[in-house]
Amino acid sequence: MSADNEASRANEAGTFESLGRKIDERPEVQAAEEALRRARDEFERAQEACNRLREEASHGFPHVREKNVSDLVGAVLAFVRKNPGPGVVGAAAVGYILGRLFRR
């Protein structure tokens, strides 16, 4: 019986392998594989960009960590007083983003 079981398992393995090849040859499966590859590549690029931005921010803004909130608010208010146009545009952008975040 042992030889029969082994032959049966080998036959099943061959059948599954054959079905797997047929499935892999389907255009829908190939398109899905390609879409997954592209998504993975885009995710990796986004992850690299995020890491790069995080690194730049940690090196580019060390003075922000040294200041307290009132100093930062004062600096923002001084900027807005000197440049009211960009201040209004920035406030609108921040308001839009916060609105989108808290809408859900």
Side-chain angles (χ1 to χ4, degrees):
M1 277 268 205
S2 172
D4 289 339
N5 284 339
E6 287 181 24
S8 175
R9 286 184 184 161
N11 188 23
E12 287 175 3
T15 301
F16 285 130
E17 196 171 302
S18 173
L19 286 173
R21 279 193 300 273
K22 287 180 182 178
I23 290 171
D24 288 343
E25 292 172 359
R26 299 282 311 232
E28 300 90 358
V29 173
Q30 291 174 352
E33 286 177 345
E34 181 60 30
L36 285 172
R37 278 191 213 98
R38 283 193 310 260
R40 183 192 64 221
D41 292 344
E42 283 186 41
F43 176 76
E44 288 173 354
R45 282 193 302 272
Q47 192 173 23
E48 290 170 4
C50 181
N51 290 337
R52 189 173 49 252
L53 286 173
R54 182 183 303 133
E55 188 69 26
E56 289 174 8
S58 68
H59 292 302
F61 301 109
H63 61 280
V64 173
R65 290 184 183 169
E66 297 169 0
K67 293 186 177 187
N68 60 27
V69 174
S70 64
D71 291 339
L72 293 174
V73 169
V76 169
L77 288 176
F79 175 81
V80 170
R81 283 188 189 109
K82 291 179 185 176
N83 308 295
V88 170
V89 172
V94 168
Y96 176 77
I97 291 169
L98 290 175
R100 297 290 292 177
L101 285 174
F102 293 113
R103 179 176 293 171
R104 297 170 197 217

